Amino acid sequence: MTQPQALAGVRVLDLSRVLAGPWATQMLADLGAEVIKIERPGVGDDTRQWGPPFTTKADGSRGDAAYFLCANRGKKSVELDIATPEGADTIRKLAATSDVLVENFKVGGLKKYGLDYASLAEINPRLVYCSITGFGQTGPRAEQAGYDYMIQAMGGLMSITGQPDGAPGAEPMKVGVAVVDLATGLYASNAILAALLHARATGQGQQIDIALFDVQAAMLANQATNYFVSGVSPTRMGNAHPNLVPYQPFPCADGSVVIAVGNDRQFRMLCQALKADTLIADARYTTNAGRIENRSDLIGAISEITGNWTMNQLMDTLEAAGVPCGPINTVDQVFAEAQAKHRVLEVELKRADLAAPLRTVASPIRMSATPVTYSGPPPTLGANTTEILGEI
């Protein structure tokens, strides 16, 4: 017997493109929602062209960019020009039978088509309408566009990422993936699910206002509260941690290993595993606060020891002692890990027009009663236009 999915019966009208919105709606699709992705005729989502690399079609021609594949699994693609009266009217008809609408147009951009929240709420009062923008629906920057990179800069993330001043290669750095977009998608999907519960309980929909800038500020987490409590703005520390020591990579004879000590007991376990009894006896290192104050001396002492070990020797020893540690894997090594294979973190999805199955990263959500399933690959442009528009 096929198990039900958590969002079976929920219809999502996806007017978003690029990453934050599509990331949110892909999560909803993985959980069982029907997601109808509205795309510009002949062009589609911007990320279909964000390559190389590109997929290869069965006839040898170029397919979609790999970027598009990461955030559009399980959706239905409809080509529609919402700027035309006919296209806008079609959206209104689809909104009337949808539970959720997600859009990331500039503030007020959909009002001229009669597709803003107020207009669609008159048609469907239960509609959950999620608007994703760079800076939100209000404020002095509300009209400005926002992209992940600039928000990482403006939102403080780059100021605390990278090597410290004076070190080789010192400069503010962005994170290697668009983390603000991804976190925005997660916040958006959480808000959508909460609003759906409210709509089902009361019959009342609502507009959700999600801003990348707000999300990045929230993502500062302990770094923000460090500032609030101390009055001192955090700075770049490379791979070190502002609140924990030792918590960083350490050199080995053949590479480096990240050691992540989260409490005083783990520190003692680390020292015992390294046969560094003098560090246990040193009163400077007894507490985490002391280790932070004497960070430089302690890191130097531990590095002197680990530098004589191979990575495997160090990891085997620390794992046996219960000290958290791990290698710095490349992307290919991540999916070669035994743990990744056991958890089936790679999912292959077939699409008839392509020469080979699509490899995508599995959803990290594991649910016992309503498991995630993958209803289909990222769609070809307009694959479901006839099916969906035939309904109306």
Side-chain angles (χ1 to χ4, degrees), residues 32-243:
E34 178 192 24
V35 178
I36 302 170
K37 184 176 181 67
I38 305 299
E39 302 193 68
R40 289 175 295 165
V43 179
D45 190 307
D46 296 349
T47 60
R48 287 187 185 270
Q49 286 78 45
W50 281 17
F54 293 94
T55 56
T56 301
K57 293 187 176 181
D59 62 7
S61 62
R62 193 181 85 178
D64 292 322
Y67 198 115
F68 174 80
L69 308 179
C70 81
N72 290 287
R73 175 176 59 214
K75 302 179 185 179
K76 297 179 178 180
S77 173
V78 172
E79 288 185 278
L80 192 65
D81 185 357
I82 68 170
T84 66
E86 296 79 11
D89 187 56
T90 298
I91 294 297
R92 283 188 285 273
K93 290 176 180 176
L94 288 171
T97 61
S98 296
D99 300 284
V100 178
L101 184 147
V102 179
E103 59 93 5
N104 62 350
F105 285 77
K106 289 184 179 180
V107 172
L110 290 177
K111 187 173 184 178
K112 58 187 174 182
Y113 306 124
L115 301 178
D116 56 305
Y117 172 65
S119 299
L120 295 184
E122 292 183 5
I123 299 170
N124 181 0
R126 298 173 60 91
L127 184 66
V128 173
Y129 188 109
C130 181
S131 297
I132 299 174
T133 57
F135 296 97
Q137 300 295 304
T138 61
R141 292 187 180 271
E143 302 293 331
Q144 297 180 15
Y147 286 85
D148 179 278
Y149 195 169
M150 62 176 282
I151 299 297
Q152 286 195 39
M154 291 184 65
L157 183 59
M158 289 180 64
S159 76
I160 56 173
T161 305
Q163 293 300 321
D165 288 337
E171 65 173 324
M173 296 291 289
K174 71 177 182 66
V175 180
V177 293
V179 290
V180 186
D181 277 341
L182 300 179
T184 298
L186 293 175
Y187 273 103
S189 60
N190 272 274
I192 287 167
L193 294 176
L196 274 174
L197 284 173
H198 177 263
R200 290 191 170 182
T202 67
Q204 178 188 9
Q206 59 186 295
Q207 183 173 18
I208 300 168
D209 175 7
I210 300 283
L212 271 69
F213 185 72
D214 299 356
V215 168
Q216 176 52 74
M219 287 171 58
L220 291 173
N222 61 295
Q223 293 282 36
T225 52
N226 286 349
Y227 161 66
F228 291 149
V229 170
S230 70
V232 178
S233 188
T235 58
R236 302 189 308 278
M237 298 182 64
N239 287 317
H241 194 288
N243 298 107

Side-chain angles (χ1 to χ4, degrees), residues 154-324:
M154 291 184 65
L157 183 59
M158 289 180 64
S159 76
I160 56 173
T161 305
Q163 293 300 321
D165 288 337
E171 65 173 324
M173 296 291 289
K174 71 177 182 66
V175 180
V177 293
V179 290
V180 186
D181 277 341
L182 300 179
T184 298
L186 293 175
Y187 273 103
S189 60
N190 272 274
I192 287 167
L193 294 176
L196 274 174
L197 284 173
H198 177 263
R200 290 191 170 182
T202 67
Q204 178 188 9
Q206 59 186 295
Q207 183 173 18
I208 300 168
D209 175 7
I210 300 283
L212 271 69
F213 185 72
D214 299 356
V215 168
Q216 176 52 74
M219 287 171 58
L220 291 173
N222 61 295
Q223 293 282 36
T225 52
N226 286 349
Y227 161 66
F228 291 149
V229 170
S230 70
V232 178
S233 188
T235 58
R236 302 189 308 278
M237 298 182 64
N239 287 317
H241 194 288
N243 298 107
L244 291 171
V245 174
Y247 202 97
Q248 65 184 70
F250 286 88
C252 294
D254 57 349
S256 59
V257 169
V258 170
I259 298 176
V261 168
N263 55 52
D264 296 337
R265 184 178 69 87
Q266 287 182 346
F267 177 69
R268 292 192 295 272
M269 292 161 55
L270 168 67
C271 294
Q272 290 166 358
L274 297 179
K275 296 180 171 54
D277 293 339
T278 56
L279 297 181
I280 298 177
D282 195 323
R284 294 178 299 166
Y285 309 139
T286 303
T287 66
N288 183 65
R291 294 194 292 275
I292 289 176
E293 184 177 350
N294 298 280
R295 180 193 299 268
S296 180
D297 289 345
L298 177 58
I299 297 307
I302 296 174
S303 296
E304 189 174 336
I305 297 171
T306 61
N308 296 316
W309 299 44
T310 67
M311 291 175 61
N312 285 336
Q313 286 173 339
L314 181 59
M315 287 189 293
D316 288 347
T317 300
L318 296 186
E319 286 171 3
V323 178

